[in-house]
Amino acid sequence: MLTKHPAPRTLLLSASTVFTLLLSACGTTPLPAQQGRAGIDVDKLLAAGNTPRGDAISRGATRQDPTSGLQVELSPATLLARTSSAADSTDGAALGEAIGAPTDPLRPDTTINLDDASATQDLWGRIRKGYTLPELDSPLVTDHERWYTSRPDYVQRMTQRGSRYLFHVVEEISRRNMPTELALLPFIESAFNPQAMSSARASGMWQFMPATGKDFELKQNLFRDDRRDVLASTRAALDYLQRLNRMFGDWHLALAAYNWGEGNVQRAIKRNQQQGLPTDYLSLNMPPETRNYVPKLHAVRNIIARPEAYGLTLTPVENHPYFVSVPIQRDIDVALATRLAGLPVDEFKALNPSQNKPVILAAGTPQLLLPYNNANLFVHNLTGHNGTLASWTAWQVPKTMHPSDVAKRVGMSEAQLREINHIPPKMLVKAGSTLLVPRSQHKEEDVSVALADNAMMALAPDVPPLRRMTLKAGKRDTVKSIAQRYGVSPQQLAQWNKVGSSASFQRGQTVVVFVANKANGKVVASKDGSKDAKGRRAEERRSPAKTARVVASVSRSTTQKSATKTRNAPAARSSRVRVASAR
């Protein structure tokens, strides 16, 4: 958790003010000419704090990120030095256009006073004051209180992880006048882990299913999954909860619907109405998960209200933003962004978990979230960076290609292409697929909005095309014997010939088999697909099982691993795999 060190009163700058000063030096934000070369009126700045000029500049202010140990100086002298040196750098001026002025993502027009006494107050107290959910009289609440109390290490990890996001969730809930207990819901859903993925494919700290995420405009493609985006998913979750509350008129029923689905809750209510039973949360017949869902939230609610009564100590969370928003206007590598911001990769991904690839596309990513100090450092370091910002770009495959051919065309190894694009073995990349490939040194254009928003992957099995072949059944031929002879399944052979899998053929009966084309031309069919007896016997002597191939189809898979299943139709058409997100 980021520890804030209050700045002297003479340096009470908003986040946007500090960053605007830095950006103005690199040509992004114009300032009036009368403010001087650096664009900073230091006398006016100091007058606001009633502190002597020399004392303020010499004393300055520093803030430290405990994760990286980096110190960031925020004194006017430092700002003057940075802006003066940046103004002399043409490279800095050009790179300054890669980002916009950082802001608080929830209150972009509000000045952040880092010396405000209320900002150092414990956020848990603010949450407690906003409790408005009705009490839930259920022994399940006590059961879950006992479960959490017996696991203090788990509660500690959960609250520490949530401290990154909790202020912004509470701010959004307060703005909507919703019960502040809802800010604790991610504890139940994901333990405040934005990378969480359930077995049912629900993702993010609010655990959105793919279809529900799309309903609430959470983009899911090869490059990003907004279900994991902290701000986007919080907005969508609160929108959904408000809609459910309007639908049921009861927060407990709304929460049950959030977990179980609104249709299921509506049907449960209707069943109770038909039987003359109450329709409150505790009276409905629900699956165990939903029956325990709201009691879990109340258990956490009670622990937050009186942690000492449960023998627990909560990690203090200060009542101010943990991160600020830095708008992205150029593609940039994740590795470079983390280095410029002075953040470990894990911390960067914890704040920006929606990114699926090693490059951040400006067309599909409105902003980066960074701790205040690191955002300041990122802006400063970016102005002094020499070199390209992105070493990767997106490329659309013009035709169905083997990965080895793609690798040669884009100038990378096949192994690297498969790894970074999650291409399984024995698969072809179909036309229209979007791949991440090295960015040419001569390419300056960023990935377009259309490509960033609609990137998809389509794969096809790497098998030879199939040819229809007919033969005459022998005296004792059955579906099973012919299938074994040609190396196919009895079910396939039965489907091709519209008979049962245990059927027998009459002597001389025509049997259809699909075999793979051979490059050496040994398997040759006449125009009607039949073979003469001599050719058939010769082929059978050459171990027909080696000439027959089963058509494979690719099933949709969240792990993007290769899978096969039997082909029902005689034509060899490869099914298309659309990857909603890389996991």
Side-chain angles (χ1 to χ4, degrees):
M1 182 175 59
L2 183 65
T3 303
K4 299 290 182 180
H5 300 274
R9 290 184 56 84
T10 55
L11 301 176
L12 300 184
L13 300 177
S14 69
S16 58
T17 301
V18 173
F19 296 132
T20 301
L21 293 173
L22 291 174
L23 289 172
S24 65
C26 59
T28 302
T29 307
L31 292 173
Q34 63 267 28
Q35 288 185 320
R37 182 170 182 266
I40 304 175
D41 189 338
V42 179
D43 293 321
K44 183 176 180 181
L45 178 69
L46 298 176
N50 299 318
T51 302
R53 174 188 179 101
D55 180 52
I57 294 179
S58 61
R59 185 173 57 185
T62 61
R63 292 161 63 85
Q64 184 180 40
D65 175 15
T67 304
S68 63
L70 292 169
Q71 293 276 355
V72 181
E73 296 186 35
L74 301 178
S75 68
T78 301
L79 292 174
L80 282 169
R82 289 181 180 177
T83 52
S84 297
S85 61
D88 295 333
S89 171
T90 56
D91 291 337
L95 289 173
E97 299 175 357
I99 59 173
T103 61
D104 177 352
L106 295 180
R107 299 180 297 176
D109 299 324
T110 303
T111 299
I112 302 175
N113 185 350
L114 296 178
D115 202 32
D116 186 356
S118 65
T120 60
Q121 293 177 354
D122 190 3
L123 186 62
W124 299 118
R126 180 180 174 187
I127 293 174
R128 295 179 193 114
K129 291 179 181 178
Y131 280 1
T132 57
L133 283 183
E135 294 291 335
L136 190 68
D137 185 13
S138 169
L140 291 176
V141 176
T142 304
D143 290 344
H144 290 298
E145 288 173 349
R146 189 179 301 113
W147 189 93
Y148 285 116
T149 303
S150 66
R151 293 165 175 81
D153 291 343
Y154 174 76
V155 174
Q156 179 75 1
R157 290 194 306 271
M158 188 169 61
T159 53
Q160 284 182 335
R161 186 188 298 129
S163 66
R164 296 187 182 100
Y165 321 110
L166 200 54
F167 173 84
H168 297 273
V169 177
V170 173
E171 279 285 290
E172 186 65 18
I173 284 175
S174 299
R175 187 177 66 82
R176 298 171 183 236
N177 294 317
M178 299 169 72
T180 54
E181 292 100 326
L182 299 179
L184 308 176
L185 197 58
F187 286 126
I188 311 304
E189 288 287 351
S190 63
F192 259 109
N193 179 9
Q195 300 281 8
M197 172 71 73
S198 75
S199 58
R201 297 178 62 207
S203 183
M205 68 183 191
W206 293 96
Q207 289 291 280
F208 271 97
M209 294 291 287
T212 310
K214 291 178 181 177
D215 289 343
F216 286 89
E217 300 179 351
L218 297 178
K219 181 71 70 174
Q220 303 158 57
N221 61 27
L222 286 178
F223 290 101
R224 77 180 200 268
D225 187 345
D226 284 348
R227 295 179 298 162
R228 301 198 300 260
D229 183 278
V230 175
L231 299 180
S233 66
T234 298
R235 182 265 310 160
L238 298 183
D239 284 349
Y240 190 22
L241 286 166
Q242 283 185 311
R243 190 180 83 180
L244 293 171
N245 186 52
R246 289 192 298 268
M247 180 182 298
F248 295 103
D250 180 281
W251 276 113
H252 287 164
L253 292 178
L255 289 164
Y258 186 87
N259 174 258
W260 191 24
E262 54 205 73
N264 289 324
V265 173
Q266 287 173 329
R267 285 186 287 273
I269 290 174
K270 186 176 180 180
R271 284 194 296 269
N272 276 27
Q273 288 174 337
Q274 291 172 344
Q275 299 173 33
L277 298 175
T279 58
D280 60 288
Y281 173 81
L282 293 176
S283 301
L284 298 183
N285 184 16
M286 297 176 291
E289 180 184 336
T290 308
R291 179 162 298 283
N292 284 273
Y293 187 71
V294 176
K296 280 184 182 179
L297 179 62
H298 275 267
V300 173
R301 170 190 191 267
N302 295 342
I303 290 171
I304 299 301
R306 296 181 298 114
E308 66 283 352
Y310 298 91
L312 296 173
T313 302
L314 298 178
T315 301
V317 181
E318 295 183 347
N319 186 34
H320 58 68
Y322 180 86
F323 53 76
V324 295
S325 170
V326 183
I328 293 298
Q329 298 168 358
R330 294 293 308 277
D331 295 353
I332 184 170
D333 289 345
V334 171
L336 176 61
T338 56
R339 181 165 59 84
L340 294 179
L343 274 177
V345 174
D346 290 345
E347 176 70 8
F348 181 88
K349 290 184 175 179
L351 292 176
N352 302 277
S354 64
Q355 302 301 315
N356 290 330
K357 298 294 183 182
V359 63
I360 303 165
L361 303 184
T365 307
Q367 73 251 325
L368 291 181
L369 301 183
L370 298 171
Y372 181 94
N373 293 341
N374 300 96
N376 189 359
L377 190 64
F378 177 74
V379 173
H380 172 63
N381 287 340
L382 186 64
T383 62
H385 174 71
N386 294 317
T388 59
L389 294 176
S391 57
W392 298 96
T393 190
W395 179 66
Q396 203 165 38
V397 181
K399 62 180 181 179
T400 300
M401 301 176 68
H402 192 278
S404 61
D405 296 328
V406 175
K408 291 178 183 177
R409 182 161 178 173
V410 301
M412 62 190 302
S413 69
E414 181 182 349
Q416 187 183 25
L417 177 77
R418 286 184 180 276
E419 180 182 4
I420 202 165
N421 291 284
H422 305 287
I423 303 174
K426 299 180 180 179
M427 287 290 154
L428 301 177
V429 182
K430 295 195 70 176
S433 296
T434 302
L435 298 177
L436 196 67
V437 300
R439 186 169 180 166
S440 169
Q441 294 181 352
H442 306 291
K443 180 177 174 58
E444 297 182 359
E445 300 85 6
D446 289 334
V447 177
S448 67
V449 174
L451 192 56
D453 284 346
N454 300 291
M456 51 79 67
M457 175 77 79
L459 301 175
D462 185 13
V463 296
L466 299 183
R467 181 186 296 274
R468 183 178 184 272
M469 183 183 98
T470 61
L471 56 90
K472 299 298 182 181
K475 184 177 180 179
R476 287 183 292 274
D477 273 340
T478 64
V479 170
K480 184 177 180 180
S481 67
I482 294 180
Q484 186 175 9
R485 190 184 311 157
Y486 283 88
V488 298
S489 70
Q491 292 76 16
Q492 279 184 311
L493 191 69
Q495 289 170 356
W496 293 336
N497 292 276
K498 298 181 180 179
V499 297
S501 58
S502 60
S504 298
F505 293 109
Q506 296 180 0
R507 183 173 184 176
Q509 182 178 347
T510 300
V511 180
V512 176
V513 181
F514 286 89
V515 297
N517 285 327
K518 288 293 184 178
N520 59 15
K522 291 183 178 180
V523 178
V524 181
S526 61
K527 291 183 179 179
D528 63 357
S530 64
K531 291 178 174 293
D532 57 32
K534 181 178 179 181
R536 185 173 64 254
R537 287 194 298 271
E539 181 184 332
E540 292 177 2
R541 284 196 300 270
R542 293 194 297 269
S543 181
K546 294 183 180 180
T547 67
R549 295 289 299 273
V550 181
V551 64
S553 63
V554 183
S555 63
R556 294 175 65 95
S557 170
T558 56
T559 58
Q560 297 188 343
K561 292 183 179 180
S562 172
T564 59
K565 62 181 181 180
T566 58
R567 171 65 62 184
N568 294 329
R573 296 189 300 269
S574 303
S575 63
R576 189 170 192 170
V577 178
R578 293 183 178 273
V579 182
S581 59
R583 292 183 278 275

